[in-house]
Amino acid sequence: MPRKPTLDGKDSSLRIRMSPEQKEKLVSYAERHYQTMGNVIFQALDILYAREEQKNNKE
């Protein structure tokens, strides 16, 4: 039986391994900022991409 399509349009998933300390830090940050762990990771990626783009624009 095929999976139902997601409501948010996202069709890929990613699993990462992290230490218990890293996970606790991520969970704690997400809770303090009323976000999901996934949203925190997306936000961090956006910051990384913006820094890289800014760096490339300076060159």
Side-chain angles (χ1 to χ4, degrees):
M1 175 182 256
R3 292 179 64 179
K4 293 180 183 178
T6 60
L7 297 176
D8 59 8
K10 296 175 183 170
D11 61 354
S12 294
S13 64
L14 175 69
R15 293 179 63 149
I16 60 171
R17 293 180 183 266
M18 59 177 59
S19 69
E21 294 82 16
Q22 290 170 320
K23 182 179 179 190
E24 180 55 39
K25 193 172 183 178
L26 175 61
V27 169
S28 176
Y29 183 92
E31 288 175 350
R32 283 195 319 271
H33 296 279
Y34 305 101
Q35 296 183 9
T36 64
M37 290 187 293
N39 285 342
V40 171
I41 292 169
F42 287 135
Q43 184 180 25
L45 287 171
D46 287 341
I47 291 168
L48 269 172
Y49 297 150
R51 283 183 185 171
E52 184 177 346
E53 188 174 318
Q54 187 178 39
K55 179 182 168 187
N56 289 338
N57 287 339
K58 286 183 179 181
E59 293 175 350

